[in-house]
Amino acid sequence: MSALQNAVRTHNGVTVNGFVLTPVIDKCEGCDRVREFEEEKFCSSYPVPERKWAEGRCNFATHVKIDTKTAAKVNPLKASKRAAKGR
């Protein structure tokens, strides 16, 4: 993990390019975007990681894989018509 570039410790917390960063939460462990600065871990893509996980999965998370093999819903009426036509 490389350090955050241009990061500065201020009285508000760690600041990078005008954004105050908050430390990552436990759900962020294993993500490629986590960076370490002065013994603390921060997200390199979003300043408040807790908010990204509040409504479900973080869209920046590189360690969480989504299941793309969901079966498409088939309308039974259309399926029977296709079967009758011989398709």
Side-chain angles (χ1 to χ4, degrees):
M1 292 181 205
S2 64
L4 293 171
Q5 292 181 358
N6 304 324
V8 177
R9 173 78 65 183
T10 65
H11 64 282
N12 292 335
V14 175
T15 305
V16 177
N17 298 332
F19 294 100
V20 178
L21 304 181
T22 59
V24 296
I25 59 174
D26 59 338
K27 293 179 183 178
C28 297
E29 291 299 322
C31 184
D32 293 339
R33 299 177 193 272
V34 174
R35 302 289 183 255
E36 196 168 320
F37 179 75
E38 294 183 3
E39 308 285 327
E40 280 188 291
K41 294 180 180 180
F42 299 95
C43 181
S44 64
S45 296
Y46 197 72
V48 187
E50 187 176 5
R51 267 195 232 153
K52 289 302 252 182
W53 288 97
E55 305 254 340
R57 188 181 77 85
C58 173
N59 61 325
F60 292 127
T62 60
H63 63 296
V64 178
K65 304 296 179 203
I66 56 173
D67 184 23
T68 57
K69 289 187 173 186
T70 56
K73 292 185 179 182
V74 177
N75 186 336
L77 182 60
K78 286 185 180 182
S80 67
K81 287 182 180 181
R82 285 185 189 134
K85 287 184 177 180
R87 289 187 191 175

